[in-house]
Amino acid sequence: MNNYIKATFTIVPAEEAAADVLSALLADTGFESFVAEESGLTAYAPKALFDEEATKTVVETFPLDGFSITYSTEEIEGEDWNAEWEKNYFQPIVLDDQCVIHSTFHTDVPQARYNILIDPKMAFGTGYHQTTCHMLRAILATDMSGKSVLDMGCGTALLAILARKHGATKVTAIDIDEFAYENALENIALNDTPDIEVRLGGAEVLRPGEESFDYVIANINRNILLADMNVYAACMHPGSEIFISGFYTEDIEILKEEATRNGLTYKGCAEDNRWAMMHLVKE
C-alpha cells in the first residue's frame, strides 16, 4: 500500500516567505504536496521516498536567518490520502458567485460563472490564501476583454486561467519553480485554455522593450516584488495596471516608494488579516 508521511513544520515567526523556501527545499527530498498553515507548513511524502536525515538537514541548515523550525511526523494510510486532502485542505471554493474552484476528485460542485479545475501538486494557489482571494477578486472586477495579462509567480496558474476565462486574449504565466511550472501546464490543459504561454524562470525571462502587457498580476512576496518592480514596469505601457500581493500591510509604504521610483501610481489597496494587495497604474 502506498502510505504517506505527513510532516508538520512549525515556523517561528510564521511568515509565508519562509514557508515558500521550506517547501522548495523539501521538494528536493521527496515531499510532493504542501499546505501553508497559520503556524507554518504541512508537507506530504510517499513513505518510500521519505528521507528523515535529509529532512533534518533542511531544517538545521535553513538558509533564512531569524527563523526557528521544528517538526513532527506521522504515517497516513495510502487509501486515505485523497480523502484527507479533500476533507482537510481543498474543498470547492465559490467566490462571490462568480467563480468556483475545485479539483477533479470533487463531486457535487456548486455552479458559478467561471468553473476552474485545479489539481495542485502543492496547495499554494488553490484560492484559500487571503492574497490569492485578493487577486481573484481584482481579476473579476476588471474588464480584461481583449487584453494581455502577465501572471508572475503563477504557481498552479489559477490566476492566469481565470484571466483567460474572463476575456484576456494573451496570457503569459511565469514561475521560477519547475514543480509549479509543470503543475501550471497540467491545470491549463484541464481547463482547456491551451493558449496560455507558460515560462520557467523569474523576471529574467521577461523581454522589456519587446513585450508589453495591459495587466500584470504578481502574487509573490515583498522581497521579490521590490527586486523585480523595475522589470515589471518596463513591460508595461502608459495606462497598464498592476496588482501586487503576497505581503503584509506594514510593507505597503516601502512598496509604494519603489513603485513610485518606477513610474507607477498608487490607486488603492485591499487588506485582510494583515495581508495586503496593491493596485498601481503606469502613467
Side-chain angles (χ1 to χ4, degrees), residues 21-39:
V21 171
L22 181 59
S23 65
L25 295 172
L26 291 172
D28 292 332
T29 71
F31 286 91
E32 62 178 29
S33 298
F34 305 92
V35 180
E37 310 280 9
E38 287 189 5
S39 60

Side-chain angles (χ1 to χ4, degrees), residues 14-77:
E15 294 187 7
E16 184 181 24
D20 286 348
V21 171
L22 181 59
S23 65
L25 295 172
L26 291 172
D28 292 332
T29 71
F31 286 91
E32 62 178 29
S33 298
F34 305 92
V35 180
E37 310 280 9
E38 287 189 5
S39 60
L41 184 76
T42 300
Y44 295 86
K47 184 179 179 181
L49 298 179
F50 176 65
D51 187 332
E52 179 74 35
E53 289 304 313
T55 303
K56 287 181 179 178
T57 299
V58 166
V59 170
E60 292 170 358
T61 61
F62 191 65
L64 300 184
D65 294 331
F67 293 94
S68 170
I69 302 176
T70 57
Y71 74 96
S72 61
T73 61
E74 63 178 291
E75 186 172 341
I76 298 174
E77 295 292 328

Side-chain angles (χ1 to χ4, degrees), residues 5 49 77 83 94 144 159-160 177 187 203 207 239 247 249 280:
I5 298 297
L49 298 179
E77 295 292 328
V94 180
M144 293 189 169
L159 300 179
D177 183 83
N187 289 321
R207 300 187 290 269
F247 53 90
T249 52
L280 304 140

Side-chain angles (χ1 to χ4, degrees), residues 77-97:
E77 295 292 328
E79 64 185 10
D80 295 330
W81 163 240
N82 279 345
E84 167 148 337
W85 181 265
E86 181 176 359
K87 177 181 177 182
N88 295 316
Y89 300 123
F90 190 14
Q91 294 293 310
I93 303 165
V94 180
L95 197 66
D96 303 333
D97 295 324

